[in-house]
Amino acid sequence: MSTHHDQGILLASIAAERASNPHLRALSNLMAASQRGEARIFARWWASWFGEPMQVCSAEERASMPGLLDTADVPKIGAAEASSFDRLFVDLMIKHHKGAVAMADSELGHGSDPRLRIMAHAIRHEQQGEIALMRGVDGRAAVSNAFRNMFTDNVNPQWDGTLDRDAR
């Protein structure tokens, strides 16, 4: 998950500088800050559990990580024309966030450490909320989405809402 967070921080940091829409710039700053905080928590937990810094994930792990953008996608966002930057960022970040929700749901369905399950729940809620904001949801719809996000994955339609995916 830390590799996923690192990429999210990179993308959000680029958007915080380049987005034309001021709301998208502000949301990007928020995304980068929250993912930096979560990454620090993960690193501290890892060090306390294993007595060493977190390892970099393998190429196989990267390839199978939901929502981790291809190495060709990241340079695209840096080179995007100003007129197309916001749309490209939103499209790529939504894909990235959907992957984070899928990983969080996997932890909720299969994990046993209560700290990781709580973090997974928070990540799922946060990422779905940010997707809604990137899609322009506001007011009552945002509150309604936030409530639904506490109980289910609203961005990955293949998930049926149960916490035990093996039960299907």
Side-chain angles (χ1 to χ4, degrees):
M1 183 59 101
S2 71
T3 297
H4 201 271
H5 271 61
D6 290 345
Q7 188 178 77
I9 292 165
L10 173 64
L11 295 171
S13 296
I14 293 169
E17 295 293 322
R18 295 214 39 222
S20 300
N21 183 303
H23 297 291
L24 188 57
R25 276 195 316 271
L27 179 58
S28 297
N29 274 313
L30 177 65
M31 286 181 209
S34 66
Q35 290 199 20
R36 279 187 191 107
E38 290 166 1
R40 282 193 299 272
I41 291 168
F42 288 139
R44 286 183 182 141
W45 283 348
W46 184 274
S48 73
W49 293 337
F50 302 107
E52 61 185 44
M54 198 175 320
Q55 301 170 7
V56 176
C57 69
S58 70
E60 280 182 356
E61 290 168 325
R62 289 178 66 83
S64 67
M65 193 176 294
L68 191 68
L69 302 178
D70 187 272
T71 55
D73 286 332
V74 177
K76 282 183 198 173
I77 198 163
E81 296 290 326
S83 61
S84 61
F85 178 86
D86 289 11
R87 173 70 357 219
L88 178 61
F89 169 74
V90 166
D91 290 345
L92 292 176
M93 190 56 96
I94 286 175
K95 176 182 176 183
H96 185 84
H97 275 15
K98 284 181 174 185
V101 172
M103 285 188 286
D105 288 339
S106 179
E107 179 62 31
L108 286 168
H110 303 291
S112 59
D113 187 294
R115 296 167 292 190
L116 293 177
R117 290 175 56 81
I118 289 168
M119 179 67 88
H121 191 275
I123 287 171
R124 184 210 302 144
H125 183 71
E126 170 189 44
Q127 302 291 288
Q128 290 184 111
E130 290 172 357
I131 288 171
L133 291 171
M134 285 187 282
R135 288 180 171 159
V137 172
D138 60 7
R140 285 184 185 195
V143 172
S144 178
N145 281 346
F147 184 76
R148 282 193 316 273
N149 291 345
M150 290 190 304
F151 303 105
T152 191
D153 176 345
N154 293 302
V155 297
N156 295 305
Q158 73 277 5
W159 190 49
D160 65 5
T162 62
L163 293 181
D164 184 3
R165 292 181 185 213
D166 293 332
R168 286 190 265 166

